[in-house]
Amino acid sequence: MLQGWIQIALTLLIVVAITPFFGKYMARVYQEQRTVLDPILNPVERLIYVLIGVQTRENMTGWQYARAILYSNFVMALLVFLLIINQAWLPFNPTKIGAPTWDTALHTVISFITNTDQQHYSGETYLSYGSQMFGLGYHMFTSAATGLAVAIAFIRGLTGKPLGNFYVDLTRTITRILLPICIVGGVALMAAGVPETLAGPVVLPTLENPNISQAIALGPVAHFEIIKQLGENGGGFFAINSAHPFENPNGFSNLIEIVAMLSIPTALIYTYGLFANNIKQAWLVYGMVGAIYIAFIIITAIGEYNGNAAVNALLGSTQPNLEGKEVRFGWAQSALFAVSTTATMCGAVNSLHDSFMPNGGFVTLSNMFLQIIWGGQGTGTAYLFAYLILAVFVTGLMVGRTPEFLGRKIEKREVVLASFLILLVHPIAIMIPSAITFAFSQQLAGISNPGFHGFAQVIYEYASAAANNGSGFEGLGDSQPSPIAVASGAQTTITALWWNLSASFSILAGRYIPIIGLLFLADSISRKQPVPLTTGTLRTDTGLFTGVTAGVILILGALTFFPVLAFGPIGEAFWISQ
C-alpha cells in the first residue's frame, strides 16, 4: 500500500516542480518575448504568416477571434473527413482497411477537431496508418493549439490587453510548445518501448496452438502517443488506449504520459499569474485546484485499494480491485491516471473506468461536470476564471463590496455570460440527449449493465462528450462493425448510429458555444476602464476569497449534478454495501 502512495506523491511532486519553469516559458511565448528557439523558428513562422496572409500585429475582437476558430476548424474537419472516407485507396494502409461508415467518420472528425477524441471504433481495425497520422494526428495538434489560443486570449482580456490574433497564437502554440516537447517526448517513449513503424501487423502462431496464427498490430505509435497526452487529446492508436503495451509498456512510459497530461493545464495557471502581475493569486488558485484534485485522488485510490466488499467476503481478506486494470500499473497508478485524465479532460485511459468502484465513478464524473480541476487544454483554465468572476460577484453582494476583478468592474453582462457558460450550456448538452436515450432505452441505449451502473454509463458518455474529454465507461452499444466486418456482411445498428449523432451534438455544443462565450466575456472585460483600488474593493488574491471560490465551485457543481450522481455512483455504492 505504501509503495502505491509514494508513487502517486512523487509523480505529483514532479508536476509541481516543473510548473513555474513551464509557466514562465509559455508566458514568454505568448508575450512574444525572446526564447531559445527564436533563431530556428522566427524564419519558419514568418514564412507561415506570409503563406496564410496574416498580419501578425493585427489584434482581433472577440467575434473576429471566434469566427477565425469556426472557419479554420470547419475547413480542417472537412479535409480530414474526406481523408478518412477515402482511406481504402490512399497510401499508408498496409492492412487494406476499407472506408468506415459515414456516421462513424463524422463522429470521429467532430470528436478530434474539438479535442474530445471520443472513439466509437477500434483504431487498429477501423483506420489506416494514413488516417491516424495525417488526419487524427493533425487534429491532435490543431485542436490542442486552438484550446490554448482561447485560454491566452481570455487571459489577455481579463488583464485588460487586446485579445491578440488567433492565427498567430495557433502557430506559436504548435511551433514553440507542442512540437518541441513532442519531439523529445516521442523519442523518450520509443526508448521506453513504444513502437514507431510503418510496417504492417506481425503474424505469429499462438501459444495455445501453433497451427493457429494471430496478427499483432503495430504502427507509428510513439509520436501519436505523446501528442495524445500533451495535447489532452486522449484518442488511442489502439482500442484499449494507454492500457495497451505498445502505447504504454511500463512504469516509465506511464510516468511520462501522466506528467505530459498534467504539465500544460497546471503551468497555464502560473502563466496567468505572470500576465496579471500577480503570482500570489496564481499560486492560491493553483493550491485550491490542487487540493480538490488530491482529495479526488485519495477518494478514488482508497476505493480501489479496499476493493469490492462482496468479493472480499468471498475471499476472506481485503484485496485491491484489479478488475479492468493492468497488473504493471496496479491500483495506485490506475487511480492516479483515471483522476488525472478526467481532471485534465484528456480522456486517455490505462484501465477500464467501467470496472472502477463507485468512488472512482463519482470522481471521474465530478471532474467532467466541474471541468476546472486543471480542466481541458486551455479552456479549463478559462472556465476556472469564469468561476472566479462568479465568486467575485456573489461575494461582493454578500459583503457589500464592489464586484471587481483585476481592477475592472464585474457587471450584468459579465455575470450573464459566466453563468450561461457554467450553469446552462454544459448541463443541457448532457441532460437532453441522456433523457432521450433513457426514454427509448430498448431502441437506443445498448446498456450492458442494469440499475445504477447502467445509468452512470449513459451519463458518463454524454458528460465525456460535452466536457470534450472522450473517455468512456464503455459497456454501451456505441461501436459499429469494423470495415473488415462490414465487408463480410455484418450490419450496422441503430444504436451505434444514435450514439454517433447524439454524442456529436454534445461535443459541438460543449466545445464551440463555451468558446464563443469565453471570448465575448474576455472582450467585454478588456474594454472596461480600470478603476483604482479603494477600501471598498474586494481583493481576490487572499486565502479567504480563494476558499470562497472553492465553495462556489463545489456548491454550483453539486446543485447542478448531484441528482445525477445520486442515481449513479452514489446509489451504486449503497447497493454494493448492502
Side-chain angles (χ1 to χ4, degrees):
M1 178 180 180
L2 181 60
Q3 181 182 8
W5 290 112
I6 292 174
Q7 290 174 349
I8 292 173
L10 289 176
T11 304
L12 299 184
L13 285 174
I14 292 171
V15 173
V16 174
I18 66 176
T19 290
F21 301 101
F22 196 14
K24 288 176 184 176
Y25 175 74
M26 288 198 292
R28 295 187 68 84
V29 168
Y30 292 118
Q31 290 174 335
E32 299 192 26
Q33 298 173 355
R34 181 171 178 79
T35 67
V36 294
L37 296 176
D38 282 0
I40 301 172
L41 294 179
N42 279 344
V44 175
E45 289 171 355
R46 282 196 293 268
L47 177 61
I48 293 172
Y49 299 145
V50 169
L51 291 175
I52 62 179
V54 170
Q55 298 293 326
T56 58
R57 300 301 175 188
E58 180 184 346
N59 290 309
M60 294 179 171
T61 65
W63 177 231
Q64 288 173 332
Y65 208 101
R67 264 201 330 245
I69 291 172
L70 295 175
Y71 292 162
S72 62
N73 279 212
F74 175 77
V75 172
M76 290 186 288
L78 181 61
L79 290 174
V80 173
F81 180 80
L82 293 174
L83 170 66
I84 290 175
I85 63 174
N86 290 291
Q87 69 178 9
W89 56 271
L90 290 173
F92 301 105
N93 188 4
T95 50
K96 307 302 179 186
I97 298 175
T101 57
W102 69 269
D103 54 304
T104 298
L106 178 66
H107 172 267
T108 301
V109 170
I110 289 174
S111 183
F112 276 79
I113 194 65
T114 56
N115 203 233
T116 307
D117 296 19
Q118 191 177 54
Q119 296 175 288
H120 290 169
Y121 64 89
S122 298
E124 62 266 49
T125 61
Y126 217 100
L127 294 177
S128 68
Y129 289 177
S131 293
Q132 299 231 52
M133 284 191 300
F134 303 119
L136 306 189
Y138 168 61
H139 276 176
M140 282 182 169
F141 278 95
T142 56
S143 65
T146 297
L148 273 171
V150 170
I152 291 302
F154 188 79
I155 290 172
R156 290 189 186 118
L158 287 186
T159 54
K161 302 176 180 67
L163 301 192
N165 187 295
F166 168 69
Y167 298 108
V168 173
D169 291 336
L170 182 79
T171 302
R172 291 178 70 84
T173 299
I174 293 174
T175 58
R176 294 172 182 269
I177 296 174
L178 299 180
L179 266 176
I181 298 175
C182 282
I183 291 171
V184 176
V187 171
L189 286 178
M190 282 191 285
V194 179
E196 180 73 19
T197 177
L198 294 176
V202 176
V203 179
L204 296 171
T206 63
L207 293 175
E208 293 83 1
N209 188 342
N211 296 319
I212 300 176
S213 297
Q214 61 180 341
I216 301 175
L218 296 172
V221 184
H223 84 277
F224 193 93
E225 187 72 14
I226 188 62
I227 186 57
K228 178 187 93 173
Q229 301 298 128
L230 181 69
E232 316 301 351
N233 291 286
F237 196 93
F238 301 106
I240 59 173
N241 209 283
S242 291
H244 197 290
F246 286 169
E247 287 198 31
N248 191 6
N250 49 52
F252 177 60
S253 64
N254 196 64
L255 175 65
I256 292 173
E257 294 186 17
I258 293 176
V259 172
M261 193 194 313
L262 291 166
S263 59
I264 290 179
T266 53
L268 199 55
I269 296 177
Y270 193 90
T271 300
Y272 156 80
L274 294 172
F275 268 84
N277 243 347
N278 196 335
I279 296 297
K280 177 185 176 183
Q281 186 184 42
W283 278 121
L284 285 170
V285 172
Y286 189 97
M288 175 194 72
V289 176
I292 301 173
Y293 170 64
I294 291 171
F296 279 175
I297 292 172
I298 292 171
I299 291 170
T300 304
I302 287 175
E304 299 312 301
Y305 179 76
N306 290 331
N308 190 316
V311 175
N312 291 338
L314 291 174
L315 297 175
S317 62
T318 299
Q319 296 293 329
N321 173 34
L322 294 180
E323 180 191 348
K325 296 178 178 61
E326 292 295 307
V327 176
R328 65 185 184 276
F329 301 134
W331 62 271
Q333 290 301 307
S334 297
L336 176 61
F337 203 105
V339 178
S340 300
T341 195
T342 50
T344 59
M345 303 307 142
C346 177
V349 295
N350 75 349
S351 57
L352 188 64
H353 290 189
D354 190 43
S355 296
F356 271 63
M357 299 303 296
N359 306 44
F362 174 86
V363 167
T364 53
L365 278 170
S366 296
N367 276 332
M368 293 186 293
F369 290 155
L370 294 176
Q371 298 191 87
I372 54 86
I373 312 303
W374 306 128
Q377 186 73 306
T379 53
T381 305
Y383 274 122
L384 176 59
F385 287 100
Y387 267 112
L388 279 171
I389 289 170
L390 282 180
V392 166
F393 183 76
V394 170
T395 309
L397 290 178
M398 289 192 298
V399 301
R401 298 287 186 92
T402 305
E404 296 171 7
F405 189 69
L406 299 180
R408 287 165 177 81
K409 288 187 177 181
I410 303 302
E411 298 174 304
K412 178 183 176 181
R413 176 179 171 81
E414 291 75 45
V415 174
V416 168
L417 281 170
S419 302
F420 175 73
L421 294 173
I422 292 170
L423 303 178
L424 192 60
V425 174
H426 192 51
I428 286 176
I430 297 172
M431 299 304 185
I432 289 180
S434 296
I436 297 172
T437 302
F438 288 128
F440 301 96
S441 58
Q442 295 298 318
Q443 297 84 1
L444 302 178
I447 303 172
S448 62
N449 291 87
F452 301 111
H453 198 82
F455 179 87
Q457 283 179 329
V458 173
I459 295 295
Y460 192 105
E461 185 77 0
Y462 288 117
S464 172
N468 301 139
N469 178 268
S471 65
F473 250 34
E474 303 311 332
L476 298 173
D478 55 14
S479 296
Q480 292 175 323
S482 72
I484 298 172
V486 171
S488 65
Q491 298 297 312
T492 60
T493 65
I494 187 65
T495 302
L497 178 66
W498 165 253
W499 283 115
N500 281 332
L501 298 183
S502 62
S504 294
F505 160 78
S506 296
I507 290 169
L508 291 170
R511 175 69 164 184
Y512 293 112
I513 296 176
I515 279 179
I516 294 170
L518 288 168
L519 291 170
F520 282 178
L521 178 58
D523 198 23
S524 175
I525 294 177
S526 71
R527 297 176 186 275
K528 292 178 178 289
Q529 291 298 318
V531 294
L533 290 174
T534 67
T535 54
T537 299
L538 177 66
R539 294 194 62 87
T540 59
D541 56 354
T542 65
L544 177 61
F545 177 79
T546 306
V548 170
T549 303
V552 169
I553 290 169
L554 296 176
I555 290 171
L556 289 179
L559 289 177
T560 305
F561 290 107
F562 183 77
V564 173
L565 293 169
F567 279 106
I570 295 176
E572 185 181 9
F574 280 106
W575 178 73
I576 289 176
S577 64
Q578 290 179 350

